[in-house]
Amino acid sequence: PVHSGIDPDWNHFAKLHSTMDEVSRQVAHLVGVNEGFLFQASCKAPSMSRSNPNETMKVRMERDREILVHKRFWVAMILTELLGEVPLAKVAAKYAVSRGQLQSLQTIAATFCGMVIQFCDRLKWWGLSAVLGSLQPRLSFGVAAELVPLVQLDSVHPAKARHLYDDGFTTLELLAASTERRIEESLLRLRALESYRPDAAAAKQKNSVIRADARRILREAKAAWDQQVQAGFDQAGTRAAMQAPAGVDSSDEEGSPGGR
């Protein structure tokens, strides 16, 4: 997004840029990130609102454009980390921002992506619209593309989606076709990795909560999969109706005298 609400720590930005790998530095260079500008900004933070009477309008516009390019690249680096499923706490520490700012950034980026999708649809740029359409849910949840179908279930957060995926539930269909017991066993392994409580009463309560969670996930997965299947049938029926010759009812064609 053009305006993200997150301003870079220029000194920190310059340090991160100096530690980038060669491919990342080439990408930064291609979009207009300048090492000399970062060095100057780390010494004295630039401001788009500051004006100098000795500067021409062209010089001020070029300076503001350069600042904006670097700010947007800073935000792009943060979003790349989030799309790579790096935990919020680690991203917040690396870029010296709060978790609240990161969550706000995800919302702003996903909303902006939706606006661009509508713009592309109006202009019939279907290819770009499809690419952005697959990106929007990833921005909302902060996950890789393969986890989008799982994380859209209300009971599955990103970390749980990654665990289920790695545990063999790679598609919504597989999750919906599974059993409550199989999902429960998977969630028990996840909980064992997160914490260990030797108390018997606490363990019993934990198992009860996980069992209910597994039942809820299975119910949501089945409902979502049934909805997808029904949508596919509806789409196929619509396509068949559109391809049928004008004035011919495809459902009655075989029952008509001429069709026997």
Side-chain angles (χ1 to χ4, degrees), residues 119-144:
F119 176 77
C120 292
D121 289 342
R122 290 288 184 91
L123 295 180
K124 299 182 179 180
W125 294 348
W126 310 124
L128 182 57
S129 177
V131 171
L132 294 175
S134 64
L135 180 63
Q136 187 178 21
R138 293 186 59 199
L139 290 169
S140 297
F141 297 107
V143 296

PDB file of all heavy atoms in Angstrom, residues 119-144:
ATOM      1  N   PHE A 119     -10.158  -2.842  -9.484  1.00  0.00           N
ATOM      2  CA  PHE A 119      -9.677  -1.992 -10.575  1.00  0.00           C
ATOM      3  C   PHE A 119      -9.309  -2.841 -11.794  1.00  0.00           C
ATOM      4  O   PHE A 119      -9.664  -2.504 -12.937  1.00  0.00           O
ATOM      5  CB  PHE A 119      -8.470  -1.192 -10.088  1.00  0.00           C
ATOM      6  CG  PHE A 119      -7.813  -0.351 -11.142  1.00  0.00           C
ATOM      7  CD1 PHE A 119      -8.378   0.858 -11.544  1.00  0.00           C
ATOM      8  CD2 PHE A 119      -6.625  -0.751 -11.734  1.00  0.00           C
ATOM      9  CE1 PHE A 119      -7.766   1.639 -12.520  1.00  0.00           C
ATOM     10  CE2 PHE A 119      -6.019   0.018 -12.707  1.00  0.00           C
ATOM     11  CZ  PHE A 119      -6.596   1.221 -13.097  1.00  0.00           C
ATOM     12  N   CYS A 120      -8.615  -3.958 -11.553  1.00  0.00           N
ATOM     13  CA  CYS A 120      -8.220  -4.855 -12.652  1.00  0.00           C
ATOM     14  C   CYS A 120      -9.446  -5.469 -13.319  1.00  0.00           C
ATOM     15  O   CYS A 120      -9.482  -5.620 -14.549  1.00  0.00           O
ATOM     16  CB  CYS A 120      -7.302  -5.954 -12.125  1.00  0.00           C
ATOM     17  SG  CYS A 120      -5.687  -5.376 -11.577  1.00  0.00           S
ATOM     18  N   ASP A 121     -10.442  -5.830 -12.514  1.00  0.00           N
ATOM     19  CA  ASP A 121     -11.661  -6.409 -13.082  1.00  0.00           C
ATOM     20  C   ASP A 121     -12.378  -5.403 -13.981  1.00  0.00           C
ATOM     21  O   ASP A 121     -12.923  -5.776 -15.035  1.00  0.00           O
ATOM     22  CB  ASP A 121     -12.596  -6.874 -11.961  1.00  0.00           C
ATOM     23  CG  ASP A 121     -12.079  -8.112 -11.242  1.00  0.00           C
ATOM     24  OD1 ASP A 121     -11.198  -8.788 -11.814  1.00  0.00           O
ATOM     25  OD2 ASP A 121     -12.545  -8.395 -10.122  1.00  0.00           O
ATOM     26  N   ARG A 122     -12.392  -4.158 -13.562  1.00  0.00           N
ATOM     27  CA  ARG A 122     -13.053  -3.122 -14.381  1.00  0.00           C
ATOM     28  C   ARG A 122     -12.371  -2.970 -15.740  1.00  0.00           C
ATOM     29  O   ARG A 122     -13.040  -2.726 -16.750  1.00  0.00           O
ATOM     30  CB  ARG A 122     -13.017  -1.782 -13.644  1.00  0.00           C
ATOM     31  CG  ARG A 122     -13.907  -1.716 -12.409  1.00  0.00           C
ATOM     32  CD  ARG A 122     -15.372  -1.671 -12.752  1.00  0.00           C
ATOM     33  NE  ARG A 122     -16.207  -1.506 -11.581  1.00  0.00           N
ATOM     34  CZ  ARG A 122     -16.587  -0.331 -11.101  1.00  0.00           C
ATOM     35  NH1 ARG A 122     -16.188   0.797 -11.692  1.00  0.00           N
ATOM     36  NH2 ARG A 122     -17.369  -0.267 -10.045  1.00  0.00           N
ATOM     37  N   LEU A 123     -11.054  -3.125 -15.731  1.00  0.00           N
ATOM     38  CA  LEU A 123     -10.287  -2.972 -16.973  1.00  0.00           C
ATOM     39  C   LEU A 123     -10.108  -4.302 -17.713  1.00  0.00           C
ATOM     40  O   LEU A 123      -9.427  -4.348 -18.726  1.00  0.00           O
ATOM     41  CB  LEU A 123      -8.916  -2.369 -16.668  1.00  0.00           C
ATOM     42  CG  LEU A 123      -8.914  -0.947 -16.108  1.00  0.00           C
ATOM     43  CD1 LEU A 123      -7.491  -0.480 -15.841  1.00  0.00           C
ATOM     44  CD2 LEU A 123      -9.604   0.020 -17.058  1.00  0.00           C
ATOM     45  N   LYS A 124     -10.698  -5.387 -17.144  1.00  0.00           N
ATOM     46  CA  LYS A 124     -10.620  -6.730 -17.730  1.00  0.00           C
ATOM     47  C   LYS A 124      -9.187  -7.248 -17.803  1.00  0.00           C
ATOM     48  O   LYS A 124      -8.811  -7.947 -18.744  1.00  0.00           O
ATOM     49  CB  LYS A 124     -11.282  -6.753 -19.109  1.00  0.00           C
ATOM     50  CG  LYS A 124     -12.769  -6.393 -19.075  1.00  0.00           C
ATOM     51  CD  LYS A 124     -13.405  -6.479 -20.448  1.00  0.00           C
ATOM     52  CE  LYS A 124     -14.889  -6.136 -20.374  1.00  0.00           C
ATOM     53  NZ  LYS A 124     -15.553  -6.207 -21.697  1.00  0.00           N
ATOM     54  N   TRP A 125      -8.412  -6.910 -16.793  1.00  0.00           N
ATOM     55  CA  TRP A 125      -7.061  -7.452 -16.674  1.00  0.00           C
ATOM     56  C   TRP A 125      -7.160  -8.732 -15.842  1.00  0.00           C
ATOM     57  O   TRP A 125      -6.765  -8.790 -14.678  1.00  0.00           O
ATOM     58  CB  TRP A 125      -6.124  -6.442 -15.998  1.00  0.00           C
ATOM     59  CG  TRP A 125      -5.898  -5.197 -16.812  1.00  0.00           C
ATOM     60  CD1 TRP A 125      -6.239  -4.981 -18.112  1.00  0.00           C
ATOM     61  CD2 TRP A 125      -5.272  -3.995 -16.366  1.00  0.00           C
ATOM     62  NE1 TRP A 125      -5.874  -3.732 -18.514  1.00  0.00           N
ATOM     63  CE2 TRP A 125      -5.266  -3.093 -17.460  1.00  0.00           C
ATOM     64  CE3 TRP A 125      -4.703  -3.585 -15.162  1.00  0.00           C
ATOM     65  CZ2 TRP A 125      -4.725  -1.808 -17.372  1.00  0.00           C
ATOM     66  CZ3 TRP A 125      -4.162  -2.313 -15.069  1.00  0.00           C
ATOM     67  CH2 TRP A 125      -4.169  -1.447 -16.167  1.00  0.00           C
ATOM     68  N   TRP A 126      -7.699  -9.774 -16.456  1.00  0.00           N
ATOM     69  CA  TRP A 126      -8.043 -10.975 -15.704  1.00  0.00           C
ATOM     70  C   TRP A 126      -6.824 -11.688 -15.125  1.00  0.00           C
ATOM     71  O   TRP A 126      -6.900 -12.251 -14.021  1.00  0.00           O
ATOM     72  CB  TRP A 126      -8.824 -11.942 -16.609  1.00  0.00           C
ATOM     73  CG  TRP A 126      -9.977 -11.317 -17.327  1.00  0.00           C
ATOM     74  CD1 TRP A 126     -10.201 -11.303 -18.678  1.00  0.00           C
ATOM     75  CD2 TRP A 126     -11.092 -10.620 -16.761  1.00  0.00           C
ATOM     76  NE1 TRP A 126     -11.377 -10.639 -18.988  1.00  0.00           N
ATOM     77  CE2 TRP A 126     -11.941 -10.211 -17.821  1.00  0.00           C
ATOM     78  CE3 TRP A 126     -11.452 -10.286 -15.448  1.00  0.00           C
ATOM     79  CZ2 TRP A 126     -13.116  -9.496 -17.617  1.00  0.00           C
ATOM     80  CZ3 TRP A 126     -12.631  -9.569 -15.244  1.00  0.00           C
ATOM     81  CH2 TRP A 126     -13.441  -9.187 -16.315  1.00  0.00           C
ATOM     82  N   GLY A 127      -5.717 -11.679 -15.834  1.00  0.00           N
ATOM     83  CA  GLY A 127      -4.523 -12.362 -15.347  1.00  0.00           C
ATOM     84  C   GLY A 127      -4.003 -11.743 -14.059  1.00  0.00           C
ATOM     85  O   GLY A 127      -3.748 -12.439 -13.067  1.00  0.00           O
ATOM     86  N   LEU A 128      -3.859 -10.411 -14.057  1.00  0.00           N
ATOM     87  CA  LEU A 128      -3.369  -9.726 -12.865  1.00  0.00           C
ATOM     88  C   LEU A 128      -4.375  -9.848 -11.725  1.00  0.00           C
ATOM     89  O   LEU A 128      -4.001  -9.993 -10.560  1.00  0.00           O
ATOM     90  CB  LEU A 128      -3.096  -8.255 -13.183  1.00  0.00           C
ATOM     91  CG  LEU A 128      -2.524  -7.398 -12.045  1.00  0.00           C
ATOM     92  CD1 LEU A 128      -1.228  -8.002 -11.524  1.00  0.00           C
ATOM     93  CD2 LEU A 128      -2.294  -5.964 -12.525  1.00  0.00           C
ATOM     94  N   SER A 129      -5.652  -9.811 -12.068  1.00  0.00           N
ATOM     95  CA  SER A 129      -6.698  -9.954 -11.052  1.00  0.00           C
ATOM     96  C   SER A 129      -6.606 -11.317 -10.369  1.00  0.00           C
ATOM     97  O   SER A 129      -6.765 -11.430  -9.146  1.00  0.00           O
ATOM     98  CB  SER A 129      -8.075  -9.775 -11.694  1.00  0.00           C
ATOM     99  OG  SER A 129      -9.106  -9.984 -10.745  1.00  0.00           O
ATOM    100  N   ALA A 130      -6.344 -12.362 -11.153  1.00  0.00           N
ATOM    101  CA  ALA A 130      -6.234 -13.710 -10.584  1.00  0.00           C
ATOM    102  C   ALA A 130      -5.026 -13.826  -9.661  1.00  0.00           C
ATOM    103  O   ALA A 130      -5.097 -14.445  -8.591  1.00  0.00           O
ATOM    104  CB  ALA A 130      -6.145 -14.744 -11.709  1.00  0.00           C
ATOM    105  N   VAL A 131      -3.911 -13.223 -10.063  1.00  0.00           N
ATOM    106  CA  VAL A 131      -2.697 -13.266  -9.233  1.00  0.00           C
ATOM    107  C   VAL A 131      -2.946 -12.560  -7.900  1.00  0.00           C
ATOM    108  O   VAL A 131      -2.624 -13.086  -6.824  1.00  0.00           O
ATOM    109  CB  VAL A 131      -1.515 -12.613  -9.974  1.00  0.00           C
ATOM    110  CG1 VAL A 131      -0.318 -12.460  -9.031  1.00  0.00           C
ATOM    111  CG2 VAL A 131      -1.120 -13.445 -11.179  1.00  0.00           C
ATOM    112  N   LEU A 132      -3.539 -11.380  -7.961  1.00  0.00           N
ATOM    113  CA  LEU A 132      -3.808 -10.628  -6.737  1.00  0.00           C
ATOM    114  C   LEU A 132      -4.883 -11.308  -5.889  1.00  0.00           C
ATOM    115  O   LEU A 132      -4.855 -11.230  -4.665  1.00  0.00           O
ATOM    116  CB  LEU A 132      -4.232  -9.201  -7.090  1.00  0.00           C
ATOM    117  CG  LEU A 132      -3.161  -8.341  -7.751  1.00  0.00           C
ATOM    118  CD1 LEU A 132      -3.736  -6.996  -8.167  1.00  0.00           C
ATOM    119  CD2 LEU A 132      -1.981  -8.139  -6.811  1.00  0.00           C
ATOM    120  N   GLY A 133      -5.826 -11.986  -6.573  1.00  0.00           N
ATOM    121  CA  GLY A 133      -6.867 -12.703  -5.847  1.00  0.00           C
ATOM    122  C   GLY A 133      -6.305 -13.820  -4.984  1.00  0.00           C
ATOM    123  O   GLY A 133      -6.815 -14.095  -3.895  1.00  0.00           O
ATOM    124  N   SER A 134      -5.249 -14.468  -5.451  1.00  0.00           N
ATOM    125  CA  SER A 134      -4.606 -15.512  -4.652  1.00  0.00           C
ATOM    126  C   SER A 134      -3.725 -14.918  -3.558  1.00  0.00           C
ATOM    127  O   SER A 134      -3.438 -15.578  -2.554  1.00  0.00           O
ATOM    128  CB  SER A 134      -3.762 -16.416  -5.560  1.00  0.00           C
ATOM    129  OG  SER A 134      -2.694 -15.681  -6.149  1.00  0.00           O
ATOM    130  N   LEU A 135      -3.311 -13.666  -3.737  1.00  0.00           N
ATOM    131  CA  LEU A 135      -2.442 -13.022  -2.759  1.00  0.00           C
ATOM    132  C   LEU A 135      -3.226 -12.429  -1.589  1.00  0.00           C
ATOM    133  O   LEU A 135      -2.742 -12.410  -0.453  1.00  0.00           O
ATOM    134  CB  LEU A 135      -1.623 -11.923  -3.438  1.00  0.00           C
ATOM    135  CG  LEU A 135      -0.645 -11.130  -2.557  1.00  0.00           C
ATOM    136  CD1 LEU A 135       0.435 -12.054  -1.985  1.00  0.00           C
ATOM    137  CD2 LEU A 135      -0.011  -9.997  -3.361  1.00  0.00           C
ATOM    138  N   GLN A 136      -4.443 -11.976  -1.846  1.00  0.00           N
ATOM    139  CA  GLN A 136      -5.210 -11.269  -0.817  1.00  0.00           C
ATOM    140  C   GLN A 136      -5.421 -12.087   0.463  1.00  0.00           C
ATOM    141  O   GLN A 136      -5.157 -11.586   1.565  1.00  0.00           O
ATOM    142  CB  GLN A 136      -6.549 -10.806  -1.382  1.00  0.00           C
ATOM    143  CG  GLN A 136      -7.321  -9.909  -0.419  1.00  0.00           C
ATOM    144  CD  GLN A 136      -8.626  -9.417  -1.009  1.00  0.00           C
ATOM    145  OE1 GLN A 136      -9.159 -10.002  -1.952  1.00  0.00           O
ATOM    146  NE2 GLN A 136      -9.148  -8.333  -0.463  1.00  0.00           N
ATOM    147  N   PRO A 137      -5.893 -13.337   0.382  1.00  0.00           N
ATOM    148  CA  PRO A 137      -6.049 -14.095   1.633  1.00  0.00           C
ATOM    149  C   PRO A 137      -4.722 -14.369   2.328  1.00  0.00           C
ATOM    150  O   PRO A 137      -4.671 -14.473   3.559  1.00  0.00           O
ATOM    151  CB  PRO A 137      -6.724 -15.397   1.179  1.00  0.00           C
ATOM    152  CG  PRO A 137      -6.432 -15.514  -0.285  1.00  0.00           C
ATOM    153  CD  PRO A 137      -6.375 -14.117  -0.786  1.00  0.00           C
ATOM    154  N   ARG A 138      -3.649 -14.480   1.578  1.00  0.00           N
ATOM    155  CA  ARG A 138      -2.331 -14.688   2.194  1.00  0.00           C
ATOM    156  C   ARG A 138      -1.931 -13.461   3.008  1.00  0.00           C
ATOM    157  O   ARG A 138      -1.351 -13.585   4.092  1.00  0.00           O
ATOM    158  CB  ARG A 138      -1.286 -14.969   1.127  1.00  0.00           C
ATOM    159  CG  ARG A 138      -1.470 -16.283   0.379  1.00  0.00           C
ATOM    160  CD  ARG A 138      -0.300 -16.528  -0.556  1.00  0.00           C
ATOM    161  NE  ARG A 138       0.947 -16.582   0.189  1.00  0.00           N
ATOM    162  CZ  ARG A 138       2.147 -16.424  -0.366  1.00  0.00           C
ATOM    163  NH1 ARG A 138       2.252 -16.205  -1.669  1.00  0.00           N
ATOM    164  NH2 ARG A 138       3.233 -16.489   0.376  1.00  0.00           N
ATOM    165  N   LEU A 139      -2.243 -12.276   2.492  1.00  0.00           N
ATOM    166  CA  LEU A 139      -1.956 -11.050   3.227  1.00  0.00           C
ATOM    167  C   LEU A 139      -2.806 -10.964   4.489  1.00  0.00           C
ATOM    168  O   LEU A 139      -2.345 -10.508   5.532  1.00  0.00           O
ATOM    169  CB  LEU A 139      -2.219  -9.824   2.338  1.00  0.00           C
ATOM    170  CG  LEU A 139      -1.235  -9.600   1.189  1.00  0.00           C
ATOM    171  CD1 LEU A 139      -1.760  -8.522   0.250  1.00  0.00           C
ATOM    172  CD2 LEU A 139       0.145  -9.213   1.718  1.00  0.00           C
ATOM    173  N   SER A 140      -4.053 -11.407   4.402  1.00  0.00           N
ATOM    174  CA  SER A 140      -4.954 -11.338   5.555  1.00  0.00           C
ATOM    175  C   SER A 140      -4.483 -12.242   6.690  1.00  0.00           C
ATOM    176  O   SER A 140      -4.520 -11.856   7.858  1.00  0.00           O
ATOM    177  CB  SER A 140      -6.374 -11.729   5.140  1.00  0.00           C
ATOM    178  OG  SER A 140      -6.897 -10.832   4.183  1.00  0.00           O
ATOM    179  N   PHE A 141      -4.035 -13.457   6.334  1.00  0.00           N
ATOM    180  CA  PHE A 141      -3.689 -14.442   7.355  1.00  0.00           C
ATOM    181  C   PHE A 141      -2.192 -14.567   7.608  1.00  0.00           C
ATOM    182  O   PHE A 141      -1.778 -15.131   8.622  1.00  0.00           O
ATOM    183  CB  PHE A 141      -4.240 -15.814   6.965  1.00  0.00           C
ATOM    184  CG  PHE A 141      -5.744 -15.861   6.871  1.00  0.00           C
ATOM    185  CD1 PHE A 141      -6.387 -15.937   5.649  1.00  0.00           C
ATOM    186  CD2 PHE A 141      -6.511 -15.812   8.019  1.00  0.00           C
ATOM    187  CE1 PHE A 141      -7.764 -15.986   5.567  1.00  0.00           C
ATOM    188  CE2 PHE A 141      -7.901 -15.859   7.955  1.00  0.00           C
ATOM    189  CZ  PHE A 141      -8.529 -15.944   6.728  1.00  0.00           C
ATOM    190  N   GLY A 142      -1.378 -14.113   6.670  1.00  0.00           N
ATOM    191  CA  GLY A 142       0.065 -14.240   6.832  1.00  0.00           C
ATOM    192  C   GLY A 142       0.548 -15.664   6.694  1.00  0.00           C
ATOM    193  O   GLY A 142       1.272 -16.173   7.562  1.00  0.00           O
ATOM    194  N   VAL A 143       0.149 -16.322   5.594  1.00  0.00           N
ATOM    195  CA  VAL A 143       0.516 -17.723   5.382  1.00  0.00           C
ATOM    196  C   VAL A 143       0.965 -17.934   3.940  1.00  0.00           C
ATOM    197  O   VAL A 143       0.727 -17.104   3.065  1.00  0.00           O
ATOM    198  CB  VAL A 143      -0.662 -18.674   5.681  1.00  0.00           C
ATOM    199  CG1 VAL A 143      -1.055 -18.598   7.148  1.00  0.00           C
ATOM    200  CG2 VAL A 143      -1.866 -18.365   4.795  1.00  0.00           C
ATOM    201  N   ALA A 144       1.591 -19.091   3.707  1.00  0.00           N
ATOM    202  CA  ALA A 144       1.952 -19.488   2.351  1.00  0.00           C
ATOM    203  C   ALA A 144       0.699 -19.917   1.602  1.00  0.00           C
ATOM    204  O   ALA A 144      -0.353 -20.188   2.195  1.00  0.00           O
ATOM    205  CB  ALA A 144       2.968 -20.629   2.390  1.00  0.00           C
TER     206      ALA A 144
END
